[in-house]
Amino acid sequence: MGRAPCCEKTSVKKGPWSHQEDRILMDYVTLHGHPNWRVLPKLAGLMRCGKSCRLRWTNYLRPDIKRGNFSKEEEETIMQLHQEIGNRWSAIAARLPGRTDNEIKNVWHTHLKKRVKQNPNPNDANTSDFQQKTEESKEQGAGLSPLETNSSSQASYNQIDSPQPSCVSSMTTTSTNDHNLCMDDMVLENFPEMDDEFWSEVFSGESSGELTGVHESIGQLQSACGYESDMHNDMDFWFNMFTRGEELPQM
DNA sequence: AAGGACCTCAACCGCGGCATT
DNA sequence: CAATGCCGCGGTTGAGGTCCT
């Protein structure tokens, strides 16, 4: 007997995620967590396979994802770890906070593999011709890296019903604009760890109305953004924070 | 300016491992 | 212990963007 299909292929939507689907998934996971990916789409009202939802969440919607170009340090780490443990992307991702295995895999296949091929010693990788060439070509191209181009073209993400994933990247692709505070930098400074536990804690006290320390910080952040802290506004608040790149005030 | 070649990366697929029944 | 179900991983694909001629 073969393995049962992960979902009913007929009634399942495939392909790029729409803005609305992102919102539904994010709202649902934020409120209820993801105890069972298989039934989650049904409960959330999404015409997606559970796997697809999990992938979307882990690769894009998760709030602790760091986006933007990989730093040299990160690239070196990837090359070193790859040399040590091979194609174990998830293990490598575990050593690079905020990076996903998919992202690392892509970077490996598109850049690092070639670089390593050309220069097997990772320590010398920085000086390889390939990297110079790559960086040169990146700097050309209208003066924007692909990601920057991406995020700028998606600056009006909330107006476009586009399946683009970089709702988060518009905030976290930082460096060029100090005014656009990086969500990671800003929030992580205030909150030690934003993992699943964090998020469940964030919303766990909603019904009781009890504010934990985390809630207080969030409350401050929300009021600084002009939000009142109630259930409905929490939803809008976090949605805007993570998907629309709403600018954060200094705390 | 056009269009073909190449590159990037989001998303899908299938499989293995582990937990549960 | 076998069957079943779910999750997570790694490989692969294909659409869209960019570069080159």
Side-chain angles (χ1 to χ4, degrees):
Chain A
M1 195 194 208
R3 168 177 293 269
C6 72
C7 50
E8 295 189 25
K9 309 263 178 190
T10 47
S11 60
V12 160
K13 189 187 166 196
K14 287 187 189 176
W17 282 65
S18 69
H19 170 67
Q20 202 180 2
E21 287 176 309
D22 278 347
R23 176 172 189 155
I24 292 170
L25 178 60
M26 176 161 248
D27 284 355
Y28 188 88
V29 174
T30 306
L31 279 173
H32 303 102
H34 44 80
N36 187 337
W37 284 114
R38 195 182 163 88
V39 299
L40 186 146
K42 266 185 192 168
L43 297 175
L46 285 164
M47 301 297 286
R48 291 275 180 176
C49 149
K51 260 183 164 182
S52 182
C53 294
R54 182 174 56 80
L55 200 73
R56 185 66 180 170
W57 173 258
T58 53
N59 285 342
Y60 296 100
L61 299 178
R62 235 175 51 195
D64 58 339
I65 286 178
K66 179 159 78 179
R67 302 196 66 86
N69 293 338
F70 278 62
S71 67
K72 280 180 181 166
E73 289 74 25
E74 286 175 315
E75 291 186 348
E76 280 171 26
T77 307
I78 293 169
M79 287 190 287
Q80 269 176 8
L81 289 172
H82 186 269
Q83 207 171 28
E84 290 169 22
I85 61 178
N87 295 2
R88 295 182 53 205
W89 308 118
S90 56
I92 295 173
R95 299 276 292 273
L96 292 168
R99 299 297 189 181
T100 68
D101 55 349
N102 205 33
E103 203 178 4
I104 290 169
K105 189 167 54 183
N106 281 334
V107 169
W108 171 260
H109 285 303
T110 53
H111 300 296
L112 306 180
K113 188 166 70 177
K114 297 172 199 166
R115 197 185 299 172
V116 167
K117 229 178 185 178
Q118 211 173 53
N119 186 352
N121 181 359
N123 295 328
D124 299 338
N126 286 339
T127 56
S128 76
D129 289 342
F130 176 77
Q131 183 178 12
Q132 280 182 3
K133 209 178 159 188
T134 314
E135 281 172 2
E136 274 168 21
S137 65
K138 266 186 190 171
E139 279 165 15
Q140 291 167 1
L144 288 172
S145 75
L147 269 166
E148 284 166 338
T149 312
N150 229 4
S151 53
S152 62
S153 69
Q154 287 158 16
S156 52
Y157 178 57
N158 53 352
Q159 293 162 357
I160 305 169
D161 191 17
S162 127
Q164 292 300 335
S166 31
C167 37
V168 182
S169 79
S170 62
M171 290 180 295
T172 53
T173 309
T174 54
S175 59
T176 49
N177 187 352
D178 288 340
H179 301 296
N180 279 337
L181 271 174
C182 169
M183 187 64 189
D184 285 355
D185 294 343
M186 157 101 191
V187 176
L188 289 176
E189 263 175 32
N190 293 316
F191 308 113
E193 238 184 307
M194 292 172 67
D195 52 16
D196 288 348
E197 223 172 311
F198 169 88
W199 288 106
S200 51
E201 189 185 354
V202 166
F203 289 97
S204 64
E206 299 293 356
S207 49
S208 64
E210 188 184 33
L211 281 177
T212 62
V214 171
H215 276 83
E216 278 177 36
S217 303
I218 292 170
Q220 284 170 17
L221 190 59
Q222 285 179 323
S223 50
C225 293
Y227 282 82
E228 284 173 23
S229 185
D230 63 48
M231 180 69 149
H232 175 72
N233 281 332
D234 275 350
M235 294 292 296
D236 283 349
F237 172 75
W238 288 112
F239 178 72
N240 285 327
M241 284 296 156
F242 293 122
T243 65
R244 297 187 174 182
E246 185 160 302
E247 230 173 81
L248 288 162
Q250 286 286 1
M251 296 283 286

